[in-house]
PDB file of all heavy atoms in Angstrom:
ATOM      1  N   PRO A   1       0.775  -1.245  -0.001  1.00 92.00           N
ATOM      2  CA  PRO A   1       0.014  -0.018  -0.004  1.00 92.00           C
ATOM      3  C   PRO A   1       0.844   1.279   0.002  1.00 92.00           C
ATOM      4  O   PRO A   1       0.251   2.371  -0.217  1.00 92.00           O
ATOM      5  CB  PRO A   1      -0.874  -0.124   1.273  1.00 92.00           C
ATOM      6  CG  PRO A   1      -0.964  -1.608   1.488  1.00 92.00           C
ATOM      7  CD  PRO A   1       0.316  -2.166   1.082  1.00 92.00           C
ATOM      8  N   THR A   2       2.120   1.192   0.259  1.00 92.00           N
ATOM      9  CA  THR A   2       2.960   2.444   0.250  1.00 92.00           C
ATOM     10  C   THR A   2       4.014   2.449  -0.863  1.00 92.00           C
ATOM     11  O   THR A   2       4.724   3.416  -0.966  1.00 92.00           O
ATOM     12  CB  THR A   2       3.645   2.570   1.598  1.00 92.00           C
ATOM     13  OG1 THR A   2       4.550   1.444   1.821  1.00 92.00           O
ATOM     14  CG2 THR A   2       2.652   2.674   2.761  1.00 92.00           C
ATOM     15  N   THR A   3       4.064   1.392  -1.662  1.00 93.00           N
ATOM     16  CA  THR A   3       5.116   1.306  -2.653  1.00 93.00           C
ATOM     17  C   THR A   3       4.674   0.744  -3.995  1.00 93.00           C
ATOM     18  O   THR A   3       4.070  -0.315  -4.034  1.00 93.00           O
ATOM     19  CB  THR A   3       6.285   0.477  -2.136  1.00 93.00           C
ATOM     20  OG1 THR A   3       6.685   0.859  -0.823  1.00 93.00           O
ATOM     21  CG2 THR A   3       7.573   0.557  -3.051  1.00 93.00           C
ATOM     22  N   LEU A   4       4.983   1.527  -5.040  1.00 92.00           N
ATOM     23  CA  LEU A   4       4.821   1.004  -6.454  1.00 92.00           C
ATOM     24  C   LEU A   4       6.177   0.991  -7.097  1.00 92.00           C
ATOM     25  O   LEU A   4       7.124   1.693  -6.688  1.00 92.00           O
ATOM     26  CB  LEU A   4       3.898   1.962  -7.235  1.00 92.00           C
ATOM     27  CG  LEU A   4       2.510   2.191  -6.722  1.00 92.00           C
ATOM     28  CD1 LEU A   4       1.769   3.253  -7.554  1.00 92.00           C
ATOM     29  CD2 LEU A   4       1.669   0.900  -6.667  1.00 92.00           C
ATOM     30  N   MET A   5       6.321   0.195  -8.132  1.00 93.00           N
ATOM     31  CA  MET A   5       7.606   0.119  -8.861  1.00 93.00           C
ATOM     32  C   MET A   5       7.391   0.237 -10.346  1.00 93.00           C
ATOM     33  O   MET A   5       6.507  -0.366 -10.906  1.00 93.00           O
ATOM     34  CB  MET A   5       8.290  -1.231  -8.508  1.00 93.00           C
ATOM     35  CG  MET A   5       9.668  -1.386  -9.109  1.00 93.00           C
ATOM     36  SD  MET A   5      10.562  -2.853  -8.555  1.00 93.00           S
ATOM     37  CE  MET A   5       9.711  -4.103  -9.533  1.00 93.00           C
ATOM     38  N   ILE A   6       8.236   0.981 -11.008  1.00 91.00           N
ATOM     39  CA  ILE A   6       8.318   1.024 -12.461  1.00 91.00           C
ATOM     40  C   ILE A   6       9.776   0.747 -12.846  1.00 91.00           C
ATOM     41  O   ILE A   6      10.739   1.027 -12.091  1.00 91.00           O
ATOM     42  CB  ILE A   6       7.829   2.414 -12.988  1.00 91.00           C
ATOM     43  CG1 ILE A   6       8.691   3.522 -12.393  1.00 91.00           C
ATOM     44  CG2 ILE A   6       6.383   2.558 -12.742  1.00 91.00           C
ATOM     45  CD1 ILE A   6       8.289   4.902 -13.017  1.00 91.00           C
ATOM     46  N   THR A   7       9.932   0.238 -14.023  1.00 90.00           N
ATOM     47  CA  THR A   7      11.273  -0.144 -14.504  1.00 90.00           C
ATOM     48  C   THR A   7      11.375  -0.096 -16.049  1.00 90.00           C
ATOM     49  O   THR A   7      10.335  -0.120 -16.734  1.00 90.00           O
ATOM     50  CB  THR A   7      11.607  -1.592 -14.053  1.00 90.00           C
ATOM     51  OG1 THR A   7      13.023  -1.883 -14.323  1.00 90.00           O
ATOM     52  CG2 THR A   7      10.746  -2.609 -14.722  1.00 90.00           C
ATOM     53  N   GLY A   8      12.644   0.073 -16.543  1.00 84.00           N
ATOM     54  CA  GLY A   8      12.873  -0.049 -17.963  1.00 84.00           C
ATOM     55  C   GLY A   8      13.045   1.255 -18.687  1.00 84.00           C
ATOM     56  O   GLY A   8      13.474   1.273 -19.812  1.00 84.00           O
ATOM     57  N   THR A   9      12.721   2.411 -18.072  1.00 80.00           N
ATOM     58  CA  THR A   9      12.867   3.719 -18.696  1.00 80.00           C
ATOM     59  C   THR A   9      13.535   4.656 -17.750  1.00 80.00           C
ATOM     60  O   THR A   9      13.161   4.840 -16.629  1.00 80.00           O
ATOM     61  CB  THR A   9      11.478   4.276 -19.072  1.00 80.00           C
ATOM     62  OG1 THR A   9      10.815   3.355 -19.926  1.00 80.00           O
ATOM     63  CG2 THR A   9      11.665   5.632 -19.840  1.00 80.00           C
ATOM     64  N   GLU A  10      14.630   5.311 -18.221  1.00 80.00           N
ATOM     65  CA  GLU A  10      15.342   6.261 -17.388  1.00 80.00           C
ATOM     66  C   GLU A  10      14.534   7.470 -17.235  1.00 80.00           C
ATOM     67  O   GLU A  10      13.978   8.061 -18.206  1.00 80.00           O
ATOM     68  CB  GLU A  10      16.724   6.567 -17.992  1.00 80.00           C
ATOM     69  CG  GLU A  10      17.547   7.529 -17.111  1.00 80.00           C
ATOM     70  CD  GLU A  10      18.868   7.831 -17.765  1.00 80.00           C
ATOM     71  OE1 GLU A  10      19.142   7.429 -18.888  1.00 80.00           O
ATOM     72  OE2 GLU A  10      19.708   8.520 -17.054  1.00 80.00           O
ATOM     73  N   LEU A  11      14.436   7.954 -15.996  1.00 77.00           N
ATOM     74  CA  LEU A  11      13.700   9.192 -15.712  1.00 77.00           C
ATOM     75  C   LEU A  11      14.650  10.314 -15.542  1.00 77.00           C
ATOM     76  O   LEU A  11      15.592  10.270 -14.749  1.00 77.00           O
ATOM     77  CB  LEU A  11      12.870   9.014 -14.446  1.00 77.00           C
ATOM     78  CG  LEU A  11      11.835   7.884 -14.411  1.00 77.00           C
ATOM     79  CD1 LEU A  11      11.063   7.910 -13.115  1.00 77.00           C
ATOM     80  CD2 LEU A  11      10.877   7.962 -15.577  1.00 77.00           C
ATOM     81  N   THR A  12      14.388  11.366 -16.354  1.00 71.00           N
ATOM     82  CA  THR A  12      15.153  12.579 -16.153  1.00 71.00           C
ATOM     83  C   THR A  12      14.197  13.600 -15.538  1.00 71.00           C
ATOM     84  O   THR A  12      13.403  13.294 -14.747  1.00 71.00           O
ATOM     85  CB  THR A  12      15.713  13.074 -17.465  1.00 71.00           C
ATOM     86  OG1 THR A  12      14.688  13.206 -18.449  1.00 71.00           O
ATOM     87  CG2 THR A  12      16.744  12.085 -18.028  1.00 71.00           C
ATOM     88  N   ASP A  13      14.311  14.856 -15.920  1.00 63.00           N
ATOM     89  CA  ASP A  13      13.333  15.818 -15.401  1.00 63.00           C
ATOM     90  C   ASP A  13      11.964  15.598 -15.975  1.00 63.00           C
ATOM     91  O   ASP A  13      11.821  15.293 -17.168  1.00 63.00           O
ATOM     92  CB  ASP A  13      13.771  17.240 -15.751  1.00 63.00           C
ATOM     93  CG  ASP A  13      15.020  17.661 -14.926  1.00 63.00           C
ATOM     94  OD1 ASP A  13      15.331  16.960 -13.960  1.00 63.00           O
ATOM     95  OD2 ASP A  13      15.624  18.687 -15.294  1.00 63.00           O
ATOM     96  N   PHE A  14      10.944  15.713 -15.134  1.00 62.00           N
ATOM     97  CA  PHE A  14       9.596  15.635 -15.635  1.00 62.00           C
ATOM     98  C   PHE A  14       8.700  16.576 -14.871  1.00 62.00           C
ATOM     99  O   PHE A  14       9.005  16.940 -13.728  1.00 62.00           O
ATOM    100  CB  PHE A  14       9.050  14.194 -15.515  1.00 62.00           C
ATOM    101  CG  PHE A  14       9.170  13.585 -14.123  1.00 62.00           C
ATOM    102  CD1 PHE A  14       8.129  13.745 -13.193  1.00 62.00           C
ATOM    103  CD2 PHE A  14      10.317  12.845 -13.773  1.00 62.00           C
ATOM    104  CE1 PHE A  14       8.273  13.199 -11.981  1.00 62.00           C
ATOM    105  CE2 PHE A  14      10.410  12.311 -12.542  1.00 62.00           C
ATOM    106  CZ  PHE A  14       9.409  12.462 -11.581  1.00 62.00           C
ATOM    107  N   ASP A  15       7.625  16.997 -15.469  1.00 61.00           N
ATOM    108  CA  ASP A  15       6.787  18.068 -14.888  1.00 61.00           C
ATOM    109  C   ASP A  15       5.591  17.506 -14.089  1.00 61.00           C
ATOM    110  O   ASP A  15       5.107  18.218 -13.262  1.00 61.00           O
ATOM    111  CB  ASP A  15       6.264  18.947 -16.056  1.00 61.00           C
ATOM    112  CG  ASP A  15       7.380  19.680 -16.751  1.00 61.00           C
ATOM    113  OD1 ASP A  15       8.317  20.079 -16.048  1.00 61.00           O
ATOM    114  OD2 ASP A  15       7.243  19.818 -17.987  1.00 61.00           O
ATOM    115  N   ARG A  16       5.158  16.305 -14.463  1.00 71.00           N
ATOM    116  CA  ARG A  16       3.924  15.874 -13.767  1.00 71.00           C
ATOM    117  C   ARG A  16       3.916  14.356 -13.616  1.00 71.00           C
ATOM    118  O   ARG A  16       4.216  13.584 -14.502  1.00 71.00           O
ATOM    119  CB  ARG A  16       2.710  16.249 -14.670  1.00 71.00           C
ATOM    120  CG  ARG A  16       1.351  15.685 -14.151  1.00 71.00           C
ATOM    121  CD  ARG A  16       0.236  16.284 -14.947  1.00 71.00           C
ATOM    122  NE  ARG A  16      -1.023  15.582 -14.655  1.00 71.00           N
ATOM    123  CZ  ARG A  16      -2.205  16.021 -15.062  1.00 71.00           C
ATOM    124  NH1 ARG A  16      -2.311  17.110 -15.736  1.00 71.00           N
ATOM    125  NH2 ARG A  16      -3.266  15.303 -14.754  1.00 71.00           N
ATOM    126  N   LEU A  17       3.657  13.951 -12.385  1.00 74.00           N
ATOM    127  CA  LEU A  17       3.502  12.516 -12.076  1.00 74.00           C
ATOM    128  C   LEU A  17       2.153  12.261 -11.388  1.00 74.00           C
ATOM    129  O   LEU A  17       1.795  13.025 -10.526  1.00 74.00           O
ATOM    130  CB  LEU A  17       4.632  12.080 -11.116  1.00 74.00           C
ATOM    131  CG  LEU A  17       4.704  10.595 -10.716  1.00 74.00           C
ATOM    132  CD1 LEU A  17       6.143  10.181 -10.490  1.00 74.00           C
ATOM    133  CD2 LEU A  17       3.902  10.340  -9.470  1.00 74.00           C
ATOM    134  N   SER A  18       1.444  11.297 -11.862  1.00 79.00           N
ATOM    135  CA  SER A  18       0.121  10.959 -11.244  1.00 79.00           C
ATOM    136  C   SER A  18       0.077   9.489 -10.903  1.00 79.00           C
ATOM    137  O   SER A  18       0.660   8.666 -11.604  1.00 79.00           O
ATOM    138  CB  SER A  18      -1.002  11.279 -12.268  1.00 79.00           C
ATOM    139  OG  SER A  18      -0.936  12.590 -12.728  1.00 79.00           O
ATOM    140  N   VAL A  19      -0.598   9.183  -9.854  1.00 81.00           N
ATOM    141  CA  VAL A  19      -1.002   7.875  -9.493  1.00 81.00           C
ATOM    142  C   VAL A  19      -2.509   7.782  -9.674  1.00 81.00           C
ATOM    143  O   VAL A  19      -3.239   8.490  -9.033  1.00 81.00           O
ATOM    144  CB  VAL A  19      -0.605   7.446  -8.086  1.00 81.00           C
ATOM    145  CG1 VAL A  19      -1.107   6.046  -7.744  1.00 81.00           C
ATOM    146  CG2 VAL A  19       0.925   7.505  -7.871  1.00 81.00           C
ATOM    147  N   ILE A  20      -2.948   6.873 -10.570  1.00 80.00           N
ATOM    148  CA  ILE A  20      -4.363   6.817 -10.914  1.00 80.00           C
ATOM    149  C   ILE A  20      -4.875   5.403 -10.709  1.00 80.00           C
ATOM    150  O   ILE A  20      -4.244   4.444 -11.134  1.00 80.00           O
ATOM    151  CB  ILE A  20      -4.601   7.242 -12.373  1.00 80.00           C
ATOM    152  CG1 ILE A  20      -4.003   8.674 -12.584  1.00 80.00           C
ATOM    153  CG2 ILE A  20      -6.062   7.164 -12.754  1.00 80.00           C
ATOM    154  CD1 ILE A  20      -4.079   9.132 -14.011  1.00 80.00           C
ATOM    155  N   GLN A  21      -6.045   5.284 -10.001  1.00 79.00           N
ATOM    156  CA  GLN A  21      -6.642   3.996  -9.870  1.00 79.00           C
ATOM    157  C   GLN A  21      -7.348   3.659 -11.161  1.00 79.00           C
ATOM    158  O   GLN A  21      -8.207   4.410 -11.619  1.00 79.00           O
ATOM    159  CB  GLN A  21      -7.675   3.995  -8.754  1.00 79.00           C
ATOM    160  CG  GLN A  21      -7.163   4.529  -7.436  1.00 79.00           C
ATOM    161  CD  GLN A  21      -5.973   3.718  -6.919  1.00 79.00           C
ATOM    162  OE1 GLN A  21      -4.832   4.054  -7.128  1.00 79.00           O
ATOM    163  NE2 GLN A  21      -6.278   2.637  -6.274  1.00 79.00           N
ATOM    164  N   ARG A  22      -7.045   2.566 -11.797  1.00 70.00           N
ATOM    165  CA  ARG A  22      -7.614   2.191 -13.029  1.00 70.00           C
ATOM    166  C   ARG A  22      -8.508   0.954 -12.883  1.00 70.00           C
ATOM    167  O   ARG A  22      -8.179   0.105 -12.091  1.00 70.00           O
ATOM    168  CB  ARG A  22      -6.544   1.880 -14.118  1.00 70.00           C
ATOM    169  CG  ARG A  22      -5.612   3.062 -14.322  1.00 70.00           C
ATOM    170  CD  ARG A  22      -4.738   2.836 -15.562  1.00 70.00           C
ATOM    171  NE  ARG A  22      -5.431   3.255 -16.771  1.00 70.00           N
ATOM    172  CZ  ARG A  22      -4.972   2.973 -17.989  1.00 70.00           C
ATOM    173  NH1 ARG A  22      -3.913   2.238 -18.116  1.00 70.00           N
ATOM    174  NH2 ARG A  22      -5.636   3.342 -19.049  1.00 70.00           N
ATOM    175  N   SER A  23      -9.573   0.915 -13.651  1.00 59.00           N
ATOM    176  CA  SER A  23     -10.434  -0.231 -13.604  1.00 59.00           C
ATOM    177  C   SER A  23      -9.723  -1.509 -13.900  1.00 59.00           C
ATOM    178  O   SER A  23      -8.849  -1.558 -14.722  1.00 59.00           O
ATOM    179  CB  SER A  23     -11.605  -0.060 -14.662  1.00 59.00           C
ATOM    180  OG  SER A  23     -12.365  -1.231 -14.760  1.00 59.00           O
ATOM    181  N   ASN A  24     -10.099  -2.569 -13.184  1.00 48.00           N
ATOM    182  CA  ASN A  24      -9.377  -3.828 -13.279  1.00 48.00           C
ATOM    183  C   ASN A  24      -9.910  -4.732 -14.395  1.00 48.00           C
ATOM    184  O   ASN A  24      -9.643  -5.906 -14.476  1.00 48.00           O
ATOM    185  CB  ASN A  24      -9.467  -4.631 -11.958  1.00 48.00           C
ATOM    186  CG  ASN A  24      -8.386  -5.654 -11.834  1.00 48.00           C
ATOM    187  OD1 ASN A  24      -7.295  -5.477 -12.346  1.00 48.00           O
ATOM    188  ND2 ASN A  24      -8.692  -6.724 -11.149  1.00 48.00           N
ATOM    189  N   SER A  25     -10.719  -4.134 -15.316  1.00 42.00           N
ATOM    190  CA  SER A  25     -11.255  -4.912 -16.433  1.00 42.00           C
ATOM    191  C   SER A  25     -10.198  -4.998 -17.514  1.00 42.00           C
ATOM    192  O   SER A  25      -9.170  -4.364 -17.461  1.00 42.00           O
ATOM    193  CB  SER A  25     -12.509  -4.245 -16.969  1.00 42.00           C
ATOM    194  OG  SER A  25     -12.179  -3.032 -17.601  1.00 42.00           O
TER     195      SER A  25
END
C-alpha cells in the first residue's frame, strides 16, 4: 500500500507525475 515500482525507462526531469486507480477490467 505504500510502494509502487516502475522499470525499464530512465527518468530525467519531468513536470507531472500521477498515481491513478484504473479499472481492473
Side-chain angles (χ1 to χ4, degrees):
T2 62
T3 310
L4 302 175
M5 185 173 76
I6 56 176
T7 188
T9 303
E10 182 179 7
L11 302 183
T12 54
D13 287 348
F14 53 88
D15 296 323
R16 174 172 170 169
L17 182 149
S18 304
V19 176
I20 302 176
Q21 308 301 95
R22 303 191 84 191
S23 170
N24 201 31
S25 68

